[in-house]
């Protein structure tokens, strides 16, 4: 709402899904406000659709047919009796046309004026407002550059270009991804500042002229330009630089008569601040600011939309907060998104967990693979970081492969604990952070838990000498073989004392140290504390072989493009892009593993593929 009239919001439709929809609903319920969800066919059983007071179906599964259809969402709001719309983040949250459609329908828009969205959602226009000169035609001297979606956010539609010859192809890829995600394929190019710090300022503005600058946040740990770990306040900034950032953020807000919650983002490099963009919405990482300032930003969004005034000054900051985004993805395998049943998701007490998933939900291919955000708040940065790392390590996350181990190792990395990180953190340390480091006793614990379960059903010990029992497991790309015995006194293993073993808990003593392992099995998938194992057959399946040079789908998804002129029999070069898969709103490039001849191709655009599906075969040159 942009005027100064007071209104009362009774029912809010959240034009979004997943975690942010659930988060807005939580505040609405606490405020006595009824809630309405919208859901796609893929989200029919999603948590956000289940917890709302009412839910309206958007037919289809693709974002372009559902969560990007502003006309359908406005109709849903009217049909469900909503009097206000909250856009969340992503999708239509920075779409001025949608904001106008909401207000034109007589509904209250819980966000900034459409004119402010237009001015700032266009990244090029935002830079002009703050006096930042746009980059002209790109030359060799400008490299590296960043291709960026004009209406984008969350790392979608972004490409770093280091060679001028790659620019056209990356522009095409960025436009396609931006159009798929935001419904707007326009992009622009700006200088790419490497190894700076990504720092942002949360702003909050009412309709009475008050603008709050709520501290700073550091979001430097990113993969594919999408944030992974965020914290507030940004560590190590001088008082002078912090004041400069606040001044620029408030100036940006006032330049467009901004109201509501927003974020102004900067890159800190060489001791100076470089304006990046203003996000005219609530950010994913807003909980760290809430924790430090003791605020509910969604509640304040609602109050501002009703016409209430903010206080003259914001509350004082207290302590430090750190947030980690838990994704269903494999960082060691090109950050490939993962799918499957989420059997269990719990964290220790004292940690805030914002999620749109619950036990038993299926993680599909259509949307962002973020499962949850875990937030720790403590009096000091060191305490908050330690608390979050420990909680994630002890969390029960049973189901698809996740980035949990990466998060724990990142939080404990010396470069992060000493606050010397920058946006190149994962470029430098990814291999070390994703290297296999399984618990050496986890496979044995899994085998003993399985043996105890089988013994309970069929009996285990036999009054005859026998060879050791053998079990094989895979974890983190490695295979482990364990041996144990059934004896008159129970299960035994060489070099380890088996104190207790049942299907869910195993107690082992090694070198005088006793440890307890919690075990959960879901078919051939076994979770032993934080270690994820796959039970392997005793003898490998001789039919599970592929021709050398086979390119298999690393994830379920849709073939969206095939390289021009690519047919069987052509020669391809090592690293040459052959085709593109779209999964969870991002494009993933499949490249030739070696220089050779393309002898098979089964990847026409539009084909839906599962993990491991054969896409192509490249026979390497004999030389």
């Amino acid at each position: 709402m942009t005027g100064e009239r007071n209104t009362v919001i009774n029912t809010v439709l959240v034009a979004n899904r997943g975690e942010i929809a659930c988060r807005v609903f939580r505040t609405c319920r606490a405020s006595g406000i009824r809630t309405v969800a919208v859901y796609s066919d893929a989200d029919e059983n999603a948590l956000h659709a289940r917890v709302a007071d009412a839910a309206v179906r958007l037919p289809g599964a693709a974002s372009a047919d559902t969560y990007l259809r502003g006309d359908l969402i406005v109709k849903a709001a009217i049909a469900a009796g909503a009097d206000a719309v909250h856009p969340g983040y992503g999708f239509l949250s920075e779409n001025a046309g949608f904001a106008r459609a909401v207000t034109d329908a007589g509904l209250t828009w819980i966000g900034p004026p459409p004119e402010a969205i237009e001015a700032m959602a266009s990244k090029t226009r935002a830079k002009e407002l703050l006096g930042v000169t746009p980059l002209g035609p790109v030359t060799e001297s400008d490299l590296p550059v960043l291709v960026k979606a004009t209406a984008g956010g969350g790392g979608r539609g972004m490409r770093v270009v280091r060679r001028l010859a790659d620019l056209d192809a990356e522009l095409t890829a960025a436009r396609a991804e931006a159009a798929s995600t935001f419904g707007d394929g326009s992009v622009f190019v700006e200088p790419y500042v490497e190894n700076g710090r990504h720092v942002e300022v949360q702003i909050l503005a009412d309709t009475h002229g008050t603008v709050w600058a709520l501290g700073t946040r550091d979001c430097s740990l990113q993969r594919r330009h999408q944030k992974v770990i965020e914290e507030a306040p940004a560590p190590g900034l001088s008082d002078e630089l912090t004041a400069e950032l606040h001044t620029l953020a408030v100036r940006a807000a006032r330049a467009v008569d901004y109201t509501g919650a927003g974020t102004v983002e900067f890159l800190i490099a060489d001791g100076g601040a470089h304006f990046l963009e203003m996000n005219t919405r609530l950010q994913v990482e807003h909980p760290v600011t809430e924790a430090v300032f003791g605020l509910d930003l969604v509640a304040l969004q609602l109050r501002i939309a009703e016409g209430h005034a903010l206080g003259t000054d914001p509350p004082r900051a207290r302590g430090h907060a750190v947030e980690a985004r838990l994704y269903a993805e494999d960082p060691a395998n090109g950050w490939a998104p993962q799918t499957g049943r989420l059997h269990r998701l719990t964290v220790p007490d004292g940690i805030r967990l914002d999620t749109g998933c619950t036990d038993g939900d299926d993680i599909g291919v259509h949307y962002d693979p973020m499962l949850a955000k875990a937030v720790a708040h403590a009096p000091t940065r060191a305490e908050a970081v330690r608390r979050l790392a420990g909680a994630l390590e002890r969390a029960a996350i049973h189901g698809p492969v996740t980035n949990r181990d990466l998060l724990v190792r990142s939080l404990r990395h010396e470069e992060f604990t000493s606050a010397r990180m920058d946006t190149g953190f994962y470029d430098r340390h990814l291999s070390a952070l994703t290297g296999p480091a399984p618990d050496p006793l986890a496979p044995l614990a899994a085998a003993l838990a399985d043996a105890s379960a089988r013994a309970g059903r069929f009996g285990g010990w036999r009054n005859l000498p026998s060879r050791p029992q053998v079990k094989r497991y895979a974890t983190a790309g490695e295979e482990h073989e364990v041996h144990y015995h059934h004896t008159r006194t129970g299960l035994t293993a060489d070099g380890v004392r088996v104190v207790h073993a049942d299907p869910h808990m195993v107690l082992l003593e090694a070198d005088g140290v006793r440890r307890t392992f919690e075990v959960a099995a879901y078919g051939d998938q076994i979770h032993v504390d934080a270690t994820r194992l796959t039970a392997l057959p005793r003898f490998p399946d001789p039919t599970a072989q592929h021709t050398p040079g086979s390119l298999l789908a690393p994830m379920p998804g849709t073939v969206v493009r095939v390289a021009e002129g690519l047919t069987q029999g052509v020669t391809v070069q090592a690293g040459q892009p052959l085709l593109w898969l779209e999964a969870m709103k991002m494009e993933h490039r499949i490249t030739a593993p070696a220089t050779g001849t393309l002898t098979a191709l089964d990847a026409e655009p539009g084909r839906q593929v599962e993990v491991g599906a054969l896409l192509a075969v490249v026979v390497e040159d004999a030389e």
Side-chain angles (χ1 to χ4, degrees):
M1 190 187 74
T2 58
E4 295 190 6
R5 66 182 178 85
N6 280 357
T7 189
V8 175
I9 294 173
N10 293 302
T11 304
V12 170
L13 179 142
V14 176
N16 219 294
R17 64 175 302 280
E19 173 268 325
I20 185 57
C22 293
R23 191 266 168 269
V24 175
F25 292 159
R26 187 168 66 244
T27 289
C28 287
R29 284 195 300 271
S31 304
I33 296 173
R34 294 182 69 255
T35 56
V36 179
V38 288
Y39 64 91
S40 69
D41 290 342
D43 276 341
E44 182 179 6
N45 297 311
L47 182 63
H48 78 277
R50 301 199 305 265
V51 300
D53 295 315
V56 180
R57 173 181 175 237
L58 303 175
S63 299
D65 300 326
T66 54
Y67 299 109
L68 289 173
R69 285 288 303 274
D71 57 334
L72 297 182
I73 293 173
V74 170
K75 288 179 181 178
I78 295 171
D83 48 28
V85 172
H86 192 298
Y89 53 70
F91 294 125
L92 294 171
S93 62
E94 295 181 276
N95 186 302
F98 178 56
R100 285 196 180 93
V102 169
T103 56
D104 288 347
L107 306 171
T108 297
W109 169 249
I110 305 172
E115 295 76 17
I117 297 175
E118 278 178 332
M120 287 300 183
S122 168
K123 313 305 181 189
T124 51
R125 172 69 176 138
K127 291 177 182 294
E128 291 171 3
L129 285 172
L130 290 183
V132 179
T133 304
L135 187 65
V138 179
T139 64
E140 287 284 353
S141 62
D142 296 319
L143 299 174
V145 296
L146 182 66
V147 178
K148 200 169 185 180
T150 300
R156 305 298 195 274
M158 280 191 188
R159 297 289 191 281
V160 176
V161 181
R162 302 183 185 279
R163 299 191 315 150
L164 203 57
D166 297 334
L167 182 59
D168 286 345
E170 298 294 9
L171 284 168
T172 298
R175 289 185 182 113
E177 191 169 277
S180 173
T181 306
F182 308 110
D184 181 350
S186 60
V187 299
F188 67 99
V189 180
E190 67 181 10
Y192 181 57
V193 180
E194 297 195 78
N195 301 335
R197 287 179 59 188
H198 189 128
V199 175
E200 60 192 28
V201 177
Q202 173 74 57
I203 61 165
L204 205 63
D206 64 20
T207 57
H208 305 274
T210 299
V211 180
W212 284 357
L214 293 170
T216 56
R217 295 190 291 250
D218 189 295
C219 310
S220 297
L221 265 62
Q222 303 177 6
R223 56 95 165 114
R224 292 179 173 176
H225 312 290
Q226 193 167 28
K227 300 159 189 174
V228 178
I229 294 176
E230 306 103 342
E231 60 182 302
L237 299 186
S238 67
D239 291 342
E240 293 77 15
L241 182 54
T242 299
E244 179 186 353
L245 296 177
H246 284 186
T247 298
L248 289 171
V250 171
R251 183 196 305 170
R254 294 196 184 282
V256 293
D257 295 326
Y258 197 84
T259 60
T263 298
V264 185
E265 302 195 344
F266 303 91
L267 193 65
I268 307 300
D270 302 321
H274 305 266
F275 172 74
L276 287 176
E277 63 187 23
M278 180 176 180
N279 294 129
T280 54
R281 54 174 168 81
L282 200 64
Q283 294 277 86
V284 178
E285 58 271 21
H286 74 273
V288 292
T289 297
E290 292 185 321
V292 167
F293 284 90
L295 296 172
D296 181 332
L297 291 176
V298 173
L300 289 170
Q301 284 184 297
L302 293 168
R303 286 184 54 80
I304 290 169
E306 289 181 322
H308 299 288
L310 295 170
T312 304
D313 297 304
R316 297 187 62 179
R318 297 179 302 103
H320 202 95
V322 186
E323 172 182 289
R325 302 190 192 186
L326 181 69
Y327 288 94
E329 67 182 10
D330 186 356
N333 185 26
W335 308 96
Q338 305 292 299
T339 60
R341 177 67 53 84
L342 181 66
H343 299 287
R344 189 179 177 198
L345 176 59
T346 59
V347 297
D349 292 340
I351 298 297
R352 171 174 169 175
L353 189 73
D354 283 13
T355 181
C357 307
T358 190
D359 296 358
D361 283 355
D362 289 317
I363 309 304
V365 301
H366 297 286
Y367 310 112
D368 187 275
M370 188 173 75
L371 300 177
K373 304 178 309 194
V375 185
H377 180 233
T380 67
R381 181 178 190 268
E383 291 173 289
V385 170
R386 182 179 64 192
R387 182 175 295 176
L388 183 57
L392 287 170
E393 187 174 50
R394 296 190 301 275
I397 307 167
H398 300 169
V401 171
T402 71
N403 67 336
R404 183 254 295 277
D405 290 348
L406 174 86
L407 296 174
V408 174
R409 295 179 189 180
S410 299
L411 290 164
R412 290 174 173 165
H413 193 281
E414 189 274 336
E415 197 170 292
F416 182 80
T417 58
S418 61
R420 294 185 295 106
M421 65 286 179
D422 56 47
T423 55
F425 180 83
Y426 287 123
D427 294 334
R428 295 189 297 274
H429 303 302
L430 184 62
S431 59
L433 292 168
T434 55
D439 188 321
L441 291 178
L444 177 59
L448 295 173
D450 180 64
S452 68
R454 292 175 183 274
R457 293 196 297 269
F458 309 115
W461 177 73
R462 296 291 184 269
N463 191 24
L464 294 169
S466 63
R467 297 170 62 88
Q469 300 294 308
V470 179
K471 291 282 187 181
R472 296 170 56 244
Y473 297 94
T475 180
E478 295 184 342
E479 289 190 14
H480 298 264
E481 186 173 279
V482 296
H483 302 78
Y484 63 93
H485 294 266
H486 285 284
T487 71
R488 184 186 299 272
T489 58
L491 294 165
T492 65
D494 293 341
V496 179
R497 179 178 171 231
V498 183
V499 180
H500 172 82
D502 66 42
H504 306 294
M505 196 258 293
V506 174
L507 183 59
L508 302 177
E509 186 177 297
D511 298 325
V513 179
R514 184 175 292 191
R515 293 179 57 195
T516 301
F517 298 86
E518 292 188 8
V519 183
Y522 310 93
D524 64 356
Q525 184 186 119
I526 301 96
H527 293 266
V528 181
D529 292 341
T531 301
R532 184 182 188 274
L533 302 162
T534 300
L536 300 176
R538 185 174 180 182
F539 301 105
D541 181 0
T543 66
Q545 303 294 326
H546 291 282
T547 303
S550 295
L551 293 174
L552 308 179
M555 68 204 73
T558 304
V559 177
V560 290
R561 286 189 291 141
V562 176
E564 186 176 354
L566 195 68
T567 58
Q568 285 183 230
V570 303
T571 298
V572 296
Q573 302 298 313
Q576 175 184 336
L578 304 181
L579 56 101
W580 287 260
L581 284 181
E582 184 182 81
M584 297 184 178
K585 300 199 298 182
M586 296 192 76
E587 285 193 0
H588 304 268
R589 184 165 52 187
I590 308 299
T591 61
T595 297
T597 302
L598 185 73
T599 61
L601 178 65
D602 186 13
E604 66 279 0
R607 179 191 171 195
Q608 299 279 334
V609 298
E610 296 297 326
V611 173
L614 180 66
L615 302 173
V617 178
V618 176
V619 176
E620 188 173 1
D621 287 346
E623 296 179 1

